[in-house]
């Protein structure tokens, strides 16, 4: 153990090897779910340092967990409690955040710790967009993290994050570390040369091959339009999207990915839609996907109860991101961690003191949401944010004008300020559930979340539970991507109810309806991986060295 730590310190310096429980906490505890222990957290500055760390871990029979921003919702980038047969080393990659724009902005190369937030800014001069926007961007997620989880996000016409072009390390069945270069870029002949060249951007345009491999999912816009299919549009165990690092969930060490970018629209408008009848949204979804020439850019649903919860419990997050940007989030989490330590030293203080304090302070800030949004929330149970771009704007306006002449509900076109607030409010809603848990002293033993992909032909998308399940639940918060039929649903059960029994019944309920889960948050340590995923993981990582236990699989070496 001492030799491992000393050798890691030689590679990255003593400041970048964290061994105390206090310093490791932000890396060993998940953003919403999951917590465990690690021998050390290592923070390399270069790709070559990652390679050297991997060699040490392989030599000393250590478990390896690579971690980016640690913003996952299912605990997939942290240890999970106990049951491991080897020590764990966490490698946090956030310091390795370089993004290289190639081919006149049509493609990018993203190193392991680069974020979607930075990618958006990097592409602005090229008038291009990344593969994912808004949601993951708002919480500082990494590009590589999205690829490894086939994260779907909100963009209707782009589908899950995906590439066949990547540079990564794996451990073969003999236990030897290998570097795999599938970037289709000539970078050298040995790992040290390849990693140094990609890290320092030391390659020429002629070194970049014109590849037939995909840098994005090129079929999704057709898939999502097929509203008569009895299978979901996207889900994490879809074999179509399991390739190399795509969907790998940390079972390899990713150094870089090569991705397509997209032309930025010349103009966009957000339509804010409300109704008390979910059947109206069913009809709108079908009409737009089948008949519109232009697909929406995004379409995010929010139930009134979730709107209210986000307004109350995510207000401070909304204000921080709006005023200071996602760059401040790591600092905020550090402050929260220090404040929470006080509650451990002083027993009269509540657990998660920072949540109580931030919630209290947020009450003094005026209402942060636009009046028209608030009016719609008061009138309607179901709220839908639909963004259209360019020629699709007039197409949508004409449609909604006619639709709401004869159907219950209404819409308005957001101003630029309303658009930003509507989207940010929707995306901070994911944190409302966790804040509610903290303030009400609810634990993961009393609550659970579901990430559901409904069949594309499902018309009853809004959940209507059997009485035996409904009567056992205290709180439900619903939001999701309605065009894609991906719903995120959070539950807290009533006191005295066994949440595992309710979850089992819920999963049975959705199995009967042909749903897939998880849809886009990936299995983490919260879901059981289906056979297609387990087979993929075993092929990538036959020794079970990288992120063992993911998807409730074995934590032991060689999957024993």
């Amino acid at each position: 153990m001492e030799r491992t730590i000393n050798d890691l310190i030689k590679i990255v310096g003593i400041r970048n090897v964290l061994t105390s429980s206090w310093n490791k906490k932000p890396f060993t505890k998940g953003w919403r779910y999951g917590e465990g222990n690690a021998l050390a957290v290592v923070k390399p500055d270069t790709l070559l340092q990652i390679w050297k760390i991997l060699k040490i871990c392989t030599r000393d029979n250590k478990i390896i967990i690579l971690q980016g921003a640690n913003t996952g919702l299912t605990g997939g980038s942290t240890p999970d409690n106990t049951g491991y047969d080897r020590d764990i080393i966490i490698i946090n990659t956030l310091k390795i955040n370089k993004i290289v724009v190639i081919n006149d902005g049509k493609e990018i190369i993203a190193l392991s710790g680069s974020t979607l937030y930075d990618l958006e800014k990097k592409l602005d001069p090229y008038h291009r967009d990344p593969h994912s926007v808004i949601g993951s961007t708002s919480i500082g997620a990494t590009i590589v993290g999205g690829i490894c989880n086939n994260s779907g996000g909100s963009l209707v016409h782009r589908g899950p994050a995906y590439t066949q072009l990547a540079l990564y390390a794996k451990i073969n069945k003999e236990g030897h570390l290998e570097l795999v270069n599938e970037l289709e870029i000539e970078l050298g002949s040995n790992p040290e040369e390849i990693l140094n060249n990609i890290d320092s951007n030391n390659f020429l345009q002629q070194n970049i091959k014109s590849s037939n491999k995909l840098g994005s999912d090129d079929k999704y816009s057709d898939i999502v339009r097929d509203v008569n299919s009895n299978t979901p549009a996207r889900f994490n165990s879809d074999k179509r999207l399991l390739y190399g690092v795509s969907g790998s969930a940390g079972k390899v060490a990713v150094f870089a990915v090569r991705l397509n970018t997209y032309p930025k629209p010349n103009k966009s408008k957000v339509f804010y839609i409300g109704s008390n009848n979910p059947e109206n949204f069913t009809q709108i979804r079908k009409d737009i996907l089948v008949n519109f020439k232009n697909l929406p850019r995004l379409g995010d649903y929010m139930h009134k109860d979730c709107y209210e919860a986000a307004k109350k419990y995510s207000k401070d997050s909304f204000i921080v991101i709006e005023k200071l940007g996602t760059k401040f989030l790591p600092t905020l989490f550090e402050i929260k961690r220090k404040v929470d330590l006080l509650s451990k030293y002083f027993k009269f203080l509540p657990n998660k003191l920072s949540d109580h304090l931030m919630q209290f302070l947020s009450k003094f800030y005026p209402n942060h949401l636009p009046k028209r949004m608030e009016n719609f929330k008061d009138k309607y149970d179901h709220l839908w944010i639909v963004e259209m771009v360019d020629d699709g704007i007039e197409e949508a306006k004409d449609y909604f004008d006619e639709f709401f002449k004869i159907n219950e509900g209404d819409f308005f076109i957001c101003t630029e300020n309303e658009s930003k607030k509507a989207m940010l409010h929707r995306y901070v809603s994911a944190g409302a559930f966790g804040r509610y848990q903290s303030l009400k002293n609810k634990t993961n033993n009393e609550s659970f979340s579901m990430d559901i992909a409904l069949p594309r032909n499902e018309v009853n998308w809004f959940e209507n539970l059997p009485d035996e399940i409904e009567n056992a639940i205290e709180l439900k918060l619903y939001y999701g991507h309605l065009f894609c039929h991906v719903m995120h649903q959070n539950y807290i059960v009533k006191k005295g109810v066994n949440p595992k029994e309710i979850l089992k019944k819920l999963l049975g309920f959705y199995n009967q309806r042909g749903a897939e889960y998880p849809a886009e948050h990936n299995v983490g340590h919260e879901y059981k991986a289906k056979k297609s995923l387990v087979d993929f993981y075993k092929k990538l990582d036959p020794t079970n060295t990288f992120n063992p236990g993911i998807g409730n699989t074995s934590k032991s070496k060689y999957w024993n």
Side-chain angles (χ1 to χ4, degrees), residues 136-149:
S136 299
T137 310
S138 297
I139 58 173
T142 61
I143 299 165
V144 165
I147 296 295
C148 290
N149 290 317

Side-chain angles (χ1 to χ4, degrees), residues 227-456:
V227 298
N228 295 316
S229 172
N230 62 359
T231 62
R234 55 182 171 95
F235 51 98
N236 283 129
S237 59
D238 187 354
K239 293 180 181 180
R240 184 180 71 88
L241 297 170
L242 300 179
Y243 184 101
V245 306
S246 295
S248 61
K251 299 303 290 180
V252 293
V254 185
F255 294 109
V257 291
R258 178 175 166 185
L259 302 172
N260 294 338
T261 67
Y262 301 83
K264 191 183 288 289
N266 293 315
K267 55 183 179 178
S268 71
K269 290 290 182 183
V270 170
F271 294 76
Y272 206 86
I273 306 163
S275 178
N276 289 310
N277 184 356
E279 292 180 6
N280 286 341
F281 282 8
T282 301
Q283 188 61 49
I284 291 171
R285 173 182 176 270
K286 182 177 181 180
D287 288 345
I288 290 178
L289 291 179
V290 172
N291 299 324
F292 271 37
K293 181 179 179 182
N294 302 279
L295 276 175
R297 191 172 188 236
L298 62 82
D300 270 18
Y301 167 80
M302 205 175 197
H303 186 267
K304 176 180 180 176
D305 292 345
C306 188
Y307 180 108
E308 291 277 25
K311 178 183 175 182
K312 182 175 181 179
Y313 296 113
S314 295
K315 185 177 183 179
D316 54 299
S317 298
F318 181 105
I319 294 164
V320 166
I321 294 173
E322 182 184 45
K323 302 298 182 185
L324 301 176
T326 58
K327 285 288 189 182
F328 183 72
L329 287 180
T331 303
L332 177 64
F333 292 150
E334 178 71 11
I335 295 170
K336 278 172 58 63
R337 181 170 64 92
K338 291 179 178 178
V339 171
D340 287 341
L341 189 65
L342 292 175
S343 60
K344 294 185 177 181
Y345 285 124
F346 301 99
K347 299 299 183 183
F348 62 88
L349 293 173
N351 286 329
K352 298 190 176 178
L353 175 61
S354 64
D355 285 312
H356 288 267
L357 184 60
M358 292 175 71
Q359 187 66 30
F360 175 75
L361 293 174
S362 70
K363 295 178 181 179
F364 296 97
Y365 197 88
N367 188 359
H368 57 295
L369 298 175
K371 187 174 181 180
R372 288 202 291 180
M373 283 174 55
E374 291 284 82
N375 289 340
F376 261 49
K377 177 264 302 179
D378 291 337
K379 291 173 64 176
Y380 302 115
D381 289 342
H382 304 286
L383 305 165
W384 198 0
I385 303 165
V386 176
E387 183 183 11
M388 302 296 299
V389 300
D390 298 333
D391 293 342
I393 296 171
E394 286 302 315
E395 188 176 19
K397 185 179 181 306
D398 292 343
Y399 170 80
F400 289 129
D401 280 337
E402 292 302 314
F403 184 87
F404 288 113
K405 283 180 181 178
I406 57 175
N407 292 284
E408 180 269 340
D410 202 357
F411 80 100
F412 66 87
I413 301 176
C414 295
T415 64
E416 184 176 352
N417 181 58
E418 287 172 331
S419 297
K420 291 178 180 177
K421 288 180 179 287
M423 291 183 184
L424 184 53
H425 180 62
R426 156 60 186 88
Y427 292 112
V428 298
S429 65
F433 185 63
R435 175 63 59 81
Y436 180 90
Q437 286 177 286
S438 297
L439 298 181
K440 304 294 183 180
N441 292 318
K442 300 291 184 180
T443 68
N444 285 330
N445 294 324
E446 301 167 281
S447 63
F448 52 88
S449 298
M450 294 183 68
D451 176 29
I452 296 291
L454 296 171
R456 282 165 280 173

